[in-house]
Amino acid sequence: MIDKEKEVFNAVAKALRANFKNIYVIGTELTSSPPKFPAVSFVQTNNAIRTEYSTFNNLESVITEDYKAEVCSNLEKGKEQETKAITAVISDVMIGFGYERTFCEIVPNTDTTINRRMSRYRKNNVI
């Protein structure tokens, strides 16, 4: 199975930790109230075989991968700017790997003191 999740997650986490002191980065979904801020959830949401590129014995040789990033900030002032800055670092890493950002917007959070921004990334033809 072709799977770049660990490599991509580690690169994103390393870049975030280099740019934001005490950032919380996790490879699973966040709750509506993360234990620490700023918080980032970065998960692979799809790893699908591109069947048109499969070999005759059905071995996968090319896939499509999708990732979802959720960024949360609870700053009293500037939380939207913080989530945008963190998302920009994630986007830079993902674009460097050849992924395309397919979605990016603020999403509602049950705790309205938290700004939550979600972005999604896709890469076709991963080998």
Side-chain angles (χ1 to χ4, degrees), residues 19-79:
N19 285 279
F20 301 94
K21 186 177 180 180
N22 298 322
I23 194 165
Y24 177 71
V25 184
I26 190 167
T28 59
E29 297 287 335
L30 287 172
T31 64
S32 60
S33 298
K36 188 175 161 186
F37 291 93
V40 175
S41 163
F42 187 82
V43 295
Q44 183 183 76
T45 58
N46 182 35
N47 179 320
I49 297 171
R50 300 288 307 267
T51 55
E52 66 270 29
Y53 298 111
S54 293
T55 61
F56 289 113
N57 54 359
N58 292 324
L59 293 176
E60 64 185 65
S61 55
V62 179
I63 63 167
T64 293
E65 279 188 325
D66 294 308
Y67 290 89
K68 177 177 76 170
E70 286 188 71
V71 179
C72 297
S73 174
N74 69 342
L75 289 176
E76 205 168 297
K77 291 184 180 181
K79 58 186 154 206

Side-chain angles (χ1 to χ4, degrees), residues 30-34 37 70-73 106-117:
L30 287 172
T31 64
S32 60
S33 298
F37 291 93
E70 286 188 71
V71 179
C72 297
S73 174
I106 294 174
V107 293
N109 195 66
T110 54
D111 180 346
T112 58
T113 65
I114 298 171
N115 182 273
R116 185 181 290 253
R117 180 174 295 277

